[in-house]
Amino acid sequence: MDILNHLNPQQADAVKKTDGPVLILAGAGSGKTRVLTYRIAYLIMGKTIPPYNILAVTFTNKAAGEMKERLEKILGPMARDLLLGTFHSTGLRILRKDGHYIGIDPNSIVYDDNDQLALVKLCMSELNINEKAFSPRAILSHINQAKNEALSVNDYTMEAKDFFRQRTATVYKLYQEKLRQNHALDFGDLICEPIRLFREAPQVLEKYQKRFNYILVDEYQDTNRAQYMLINLLSAIHKNLCVVGDEDQSIYGWRGADIKNILEFERDFPEVKIIRLEQNYRSTKNILAAANSVVEKNTKRIGKTLWTENLDGELVHYQMARDEHHEAGLIYSKTEEIRKESGLAYKDFAIFYRTNAQSRIFEEHFIRSGMPYNIVGGLRFYERKEIKDAISYLKVVANPNDSLSLMRIINTPPRGIGKTTIDRAASFGAEQGIPLFDAFKLAIQKGILPQHKGHGFIVFLEKFKGLIDKLPIHELAKMLLEESGYIKMWEGEKTEEAEARIENLHELISAMRDFERNREKVSLADFLDHVALISDIDTFEDKQNRVTLMTLHSAKGLEFPVVFMVGMEEGLFPHSRSINGKNEDELEEERRLCYVGMTRAMKKLFLFGARERTIYGESRFQGQSRFIDEIHPQYLEIIDNRSHKPEVRSQEKEYPLFIPPFSKGDTGGFEEPRIVYDEFTDNDPWKIGMKIKHPSFGAGIIKAKEGMGADAKLTVMFPGTGQKKLIARYVSS
């Protein structure tokens, strides 16, 4: 067939081996979408398989749409008879047609995340479960995870050992009952209910097994337990199952993906044909080799080595900036330098970071400099809900007449001040011609509203208004967010999303501290004006030609000529959870995330870290990410800020690495483990006169100490550098 002429030998092999189980290990940039598309076309045109008998499953509607578009160009109208969609759309189609066998209304609606949360809250209310004691979002997260693992209510209840899970099990039961009462399904149901349907109505399963003679699954490394079970049921008879994936790009374990699905595919299907797509068409030789040298440190791999016929290209560049502001400035300068020299457009540049909170510095720097940018996978920093909420708190303290901001935060976190109460106060205020803040005070005084409806909160805000001129603005904000219960509200959720919101709030505190620096007198009003200008000014008309900012997780599947990976610091990337915990799997996933980021780069790859970074409003000295040291020296160029001369690593030259605290007994695989203290006991190791080491300043002697343990503040004298104040957790003895 003509289509085979457009493929390399491995790709052609992956297309032609159609019968039996096939595992296609498709490395980054190896053309897997083309292989999947051509494989479907080959089945239809080469083997005359009716499109009706083929099921192709993707993870995103975008991927499904792109594949359909390509197939229509090759096959014409025949492509429309193919069932090609996401796991969820496929499950819904099955339930629409045959769900009545297990009591599911074919016209059931699908609840989104907000609907799910509202239903959980309703269930908790009926069960008299206090939302302050048990976060509705945390309970919903556990219910979703249960469905990812295909755990029914009974299964989850039997496994619920602690009090929280037992409470969740109670909510889960009522939640499922109400879904059915409302003729509704959630996203988890779209996978779990077809599994239940197939088990309870085997004739239905048999029908679909006979229909789908050939099944293809994209991004198999990202499947969860429930998706794995669904696919195995459908392919159990014919076993013509082709899965495409890359274990080195499995980065969604935190949301339920199970890497074991791809690692153990050969165990599940001993007769499997494994085809490796190892030729990369995207990156230069040096970028690819550098990325390979990092990911090969992982143990949970099937194994493959990417190669390319592309040019060697430049070495991967690494530079440790002084702080996050210097980091942003260096990237701005480098972007403009490359753009002018090469003629590349802004859209050819991308900045990847580990957490959303890191975007703030770049946004502010780029706005001031006039560089156009776009954030993918998230809102602009000052447009995020938690930041808008925090700014609303500050606005009301600065100006109680701001009724709009007051309405936003008066019942956030929940204080029992509902819409009815707010409406009554607003109506009273309108009658009296006074703002909402004053209306609440007066209505409570006159007995129009009971005292518990807002009195405490009004007193709380007045207290902070009195502190405006007495505290630095960053301290005022920190105290306000803590004492209001706003940060505690997110902490109670114990979800990945909530953790990201907390990080953003801490970043806001850091932004306020930054604003205070180099200014003699700063008022809260000054900062609020600054934020208004930052968030409201939109000088970029060309929406296509912008530097792209995104998290590393959002970068998967994309490519850019020039990539900057920032925050390459131990504790930030890899994240502290992965290095301080006992689960090696988390560190391996962080390493895969690093690999994903590096392999997005086509021509140039720059890695940046900062020696000092403001975290939670405090300046902390940062240690270099272990991932830098894992790059083979021959592929890495180190830019020394102090000499301004590039240093090319060789095998003979060892680059010094400082490693902040690991879990006890963990050396991170390095030859020279240092004694570090993560969890301190009463036997505090830091003594005045003691010698310590620091990654930037070298050896020094402790002259003074404030506090104990990991958060102790040490005053250290460094020969040639002078006296510095450091946080204890970032030095070694």
Side-chain angles (χ1 to χ4, degrees):
M1 293 180 65
D2 290 342
I3 60 174
L4 299 178
N5 297 329
H6 302 285
L7 305 173
N8 68 37
Q10 290 73 34
Q11 291 174 331
D13 195 29
V15 166
K16 292 188 293 182
K17 287 185 177 178
T18 56
D19 294 334
V22 177
L23 170 60
I24 301 174
L25 294 173
S30 63
K32 76 173 175 67
T33 304
R34 169 176 286 196
V35 168
L36 272 172
T37 304
Y38 283 17
R39 183 180 175 90
I40 295 170
Y42 182 79
L43 283 168
I44 297 169
M45 299 170 64
K47 299 202 64 174
T48 64
I49 304 298
Y52 180 81
N53 295 129
I54 300 172
L55 169 64
V57 184
T58 65
F59 262 80
T60 65
N61 290 312
K62 181 184 177 189
E66 289 176 355
M67 203 174 297
K68 279 181 180 176
E69 189 176 329
R70 293 190 188 190
L71 283 166
E72 284 178 1
K73 290 180 180 177
I74 300 172
L75 301 172
M78 280 194 300
R80 298 167 190 170
D81 296 328
L82 174 75
L83 183 53
L84 195 166
T86 64
F87 270 101
H88 293 113
S89 67
T90 301
L92 182 59
R93 186 177 297 223
I94 292 170
L95 294 175
R96 289 266 191 253
K97 191 169 182 62
D98 296 294
H100 60 90
Y101 284 98
I102 55 173
I104 292 178
D105 186 340
N107 298 312
S108 292
I109 59 173
V110 179
Y111 277 179
D112 63 18
D113 294 342
N114 291 327
D115 296 327
Q116 289 178 252
L117 184 60
L119 189 59
V120 165
K121 289 180 177 180
L122 178 61
C123 293
M124 291 175 66
S125 177
E126 290 190 11
L127 294 167
N128 294 316
I129 298 175
N130 193 330
E131 291 187 16
K132 293 181 179 179
F134 298 91
S135 163
R137 285 189 182 274
I139 287 177
L140 178 58
S141 177
H142 275 255
I143 292 173
N144 287 336
Q145 185 57 37
K147 293 187 178 186
N148 286 340
E149 298 172 12
L151 296 176
S152 67
V153 171
N154 289 337
D155 295 333
Y156 186 87
T157 302
M158 289 178 64
E159 292 187 7
K161 303 300 183 185
D162 60 63
F163 188 60
F164 177 82
R165 286 177 171 80
Q166 289 167 0
R167 280 293 200 193
T168 299
T170 307
V171 177
Y172 187 8
K173 183 176 184 296
L174 184 58
Y175 173 87
Q176 287 300 110
E177 291 173 359
K178 286 192 174 295
L179 280 175
R180 298 299 163 262
Q181 290 171 8
N182 296 339
H183 296 261
L185 301 159
D186 65 14
F187 284 107
D189 286 338
L190 301 183
I191 309 299
C192 290
E193 292 301 326
I195 294 173
R196 183 165 73 92
L197 168 65
F198 292 158
R199 287 173 171 171
E200 296 182 11
Q203 72 277 19
V204 178
L205 173 60
E206 186 181 0
K207 179 181 76 171
Y208 284 101
Q209 288 174 333
K210 288 181 177 178
R211 174 182 171 179
F212 298 131
N213 296 324
Y214 292 88
I215 299 175
L216 301 90
V217 182
D218 192 16
E219 303 287 3
Y220 192 68
Q221 77 280 349
D222 293 332
T223 54
N224 59 37
R225 178 69 182 174
Q227 292 161 340
Y228 164 89
M229 292 168 65
L230 180 65
I231 291 299
N232 278 15
L233 283 168
L234 287 170
S235 62
I237 294 177
H238 56 72
K239 292 187 173 18
N240 294 327
L241 173 62
C242 174
V243 302
V244 183
D246 181 5
E247 78 278 18
D248 291 333
Q249 297 188 70
S250 178
I251 59 174
Y252 297 116
W254 51 273
R255 69 181 190 193
D258 191 347
I259 194 174
K260 289 189 295 186
N261 293 348
I262 191 168
L263 294 177
E264 298 177 359
F265 191 81
E266 189 173 6
R267 183 203 66 182
D268 296 335
F269 299 91
E271 67 277 31
V272 64
K273 301 167 185 172
I274 300 177
I275 301 167
R276 289 172 170 82
L277 304 183
E278 297 176 304
Q279 184 174 359
N280 174 283
Y281 294 92
R282 176 185 300 153
S283 305
T284 64
K285 284 186 173 68
N286 282 320
I287 291 173
L288 204 57
N292 283 336
S293 67
V294 173
V295 80
E296 68 186 13
K297 304 298 189 299
N298 276 353
T299 59
K300 293 178 174 59
R301 303 181 71 214
I302 301 173
K304 63 185 173 305
T305 302
L306 297 193
W307 62 276
T308 183
E309 293 180 348
N310 294 338
L311 298 174
D312 289 349
E314 298 179 8
L315 297 177
V316 174
H317 306 272
Y318 169 65
Q319 187 167 358
M320 181 72 91
R322 292 188 301 272
D323 54 31
E324 63 266 40
H325 298 279
H326 187 213
E327 181 183 55
L330 288 171
I331 290 172
Y332 167 80
S333 300
K334 183 57 67 174
T335 299
E336 290 293 11
E337 177 188 323
I338 296 172
R339 194 175 64 84
K340 291 172 183 176
E341 289 178 356
S342 64
L344 292 173
Y346 285 117
K347 65 182 179 181
D348 296 322
F349 297 79
I351 301 170
F352 301 157
Y353 35 79
R354 179 61 179 85
T355 67
N356 273 309
Q358 292 170 258
S359 73
R360 193 265 306 176
I361 294 293
F362 293 97
E363 290 181 67
E364 292 190 358
H365 197 97
F366 290 175
I367 287 173
R368 286 196 301 270
S369 63
M371 180 174 284
Y373 73 93
N374 182 49
I375 294 181
V376 175
L379 297 169
R380 292 175 182 248
F381 183 82
Y382 290 107
E383 293 175 354
R384 293 165 184 156
K385 171 184 165 39
E386 63 277 11
I387 301 303
K388 279 186 167 293
D389 287 347
I391 295 297
S392 293
Y393 268 102
L394 294 170
K395 283 182 175 179
V396 174
V397 169
N399 177 21
N401 292 336
D402 186 352
S403 297
L404 189 64
S405 293
L406 179 60
M407 289 181 70
R408 182 181 181 97
I409 52 94
I410 194 167
N411 202 41
T412 304
R415 301 184 177 91
I417 308 172
K419 185 177 183 300
T420 302
T421 302
I422 295 171
D423 288 346
R424 287 177 64 189
S427 297
F428 178 71
E431 292 173 3
Q432 301 293 319
I434 56 179
L436 186 62
F437 187 91
D438 293 334
F440 262 101
K441 288 200 298 183
L442 189 59
I444 292 169
Q445 288 173 10
K446 290 181 175 293
I448 298 171
L449 291 176
Q451 278 220 350
H452 68 274
K453 295 293 187 178
H455 176 72
F457 187 58
I458 296 297
V459 172
F460 170 83
L461 291 174
E462 287 183 325
K463 166 192 165 183
F464 276 89
K465 184 170 177 59
L467 295 174
I468 286 180
D469 297 325
K470 298 178 181 178
L471 293 173
I473 60 171
H474 79 278
E475 289 185 13
L476 179 77
K478 185 178 180 182
M479 188 184 300
L480 180 61
L481 294 174
E482 288 175 350
E483 293 189 17
S484 66
Y486 190 76
I487 288 180
K488 190 176 180 180
M489 176 186 74
W490 293 118
E491 288 175 342
E493 290 191 7
K494 299 177 182 178
T495 64
E496 188 84 6
E497 179 187 4
E499 185 174 351
R501 292 187 188 277
I502 293 168
E503 289 175 346
N504 288 336
L505 290 169
H506 289 310
E507 184 67 11
L508 175 64
I509 305 299
S510 296
M512 299 182 76
R513 187 173 182 184
D514 285 344
F515 187 77
E516 290 173 294
R517 288 175 179 155
N518 304 318
R519 292 178 171 88
E520 289 186 7
K521 190 175 180 180
V522 177
S523 70
L524 180 57
D526 292 336
F527 179 75
L528 293 173
D529 289 344
H530 166 73
V531 170
L533 293 172
I534 289 281
S535 59
D536 292 342
I537 291 178
D538 185 4
T539 59
F540 320 124
E541 296 297 329
D542 186 357
K543 296 185 178 182
Q544 301 302 315
N545 191 25
R546 299 181 176 185
V547 176
T548 300
L549 280 71
M550 64 177 69
T551 65
L552 284 153
H553 283 99
S554 300
K556 191 162 176 284
L558 303 176
E559 61 182 28
F560 299 89
V562 183
V563 166
F564 300 99
M565 288 173 58
V566 302
M568 301 294 294
E569 301 140 30
E570 201 77 1
L572 183 56
F573 190 43
H575 199 281
S576 57
R577 289 192 307 271
S578 68
I579 58 178
N580 294 331
K582 298 179 180 179
N583 191 349
E584 183 67 20
D585 291 348
E586 292 185 8
L587 180 58
E588 292 215 351
E589 182 157 311
E590 290 285 295
R591 189 173 283 113
R592 291 193 293 270
L593 188 59
C594 182
Y595 172 79
V596 165
M598 294 175 75
T599 54
R600 300 310 94 192
M602 301 166 69
K603 304 293 185 184
K604 298 177 185 286
L605 174 61
F606 296 86
L607 309 176
F608 282 88
R611 290 191 178 90
E612 185 178 353
R613 188 175 295 274
T614 303
I615 300 174
Y616 301 164
E618 292 186 352
S619 295
R620 297 186 181 180
F621 292 100
Q622 301 289 96
Q624 175 180 288
S625 169
R626 68 183 68 193
F627 299 149
I628 299 299
D629 205 62
E630 290 176 355
I631 298 173
H632 197 285
Q634 82 180 79
Y635 309 118
L636 189 66
E637 178 185 67
I638 298 170
I639 309 299
D640 189 337
N641 291 330
R642 290 161 290 190
S643 67
H644 302 288
K645 295 179 180 179
E647 172 194 346
V648 180
R649 287 173 59 181
S650 67
Q651 300 231 1
E652 290 75 32
K653 182 170 182 176
E654 183 178 339
Y655 187 70
L657 175 71
F658 172 77
I659 308 176
F662 303 120
S663 56
K664 292 181 179 180
D666 180 13
T667 66
F670 296 96
E671 294 181 1
E672 297 183 26
R674 291 153 171 90
I675 301 172
V676 292
Y677 298 87
D678 187 13
E679 298 179 4
F680 290 80
T681 64
D682 292 337
N683 185 21
D684 193 301
W686 308 112
K687 310 293 183 185
I688 293 174
M690 182 180 180
K691 292 182 179 179
I692 59 94
K693 292 180 182 177
H694 188 271
S696 299
F697 307 124
I701 297 174
I702 298 175
K703 295 296 185 181
K705 183 184 71 166
E706 299 175 33
M708 294 182 64
D711 294 320
K713 295 180 180 178
L714 307 178
T715 302
V716 184
M717 177 61 71
F718 295 95
T721 306
Q723 192 165 281
K724 304 287 183 183
K725 270 199 172 184
L726 311 173
I727 305 296
R729 69 173 71 250
Y730 297 115
V731 300
S732 61
S733 60

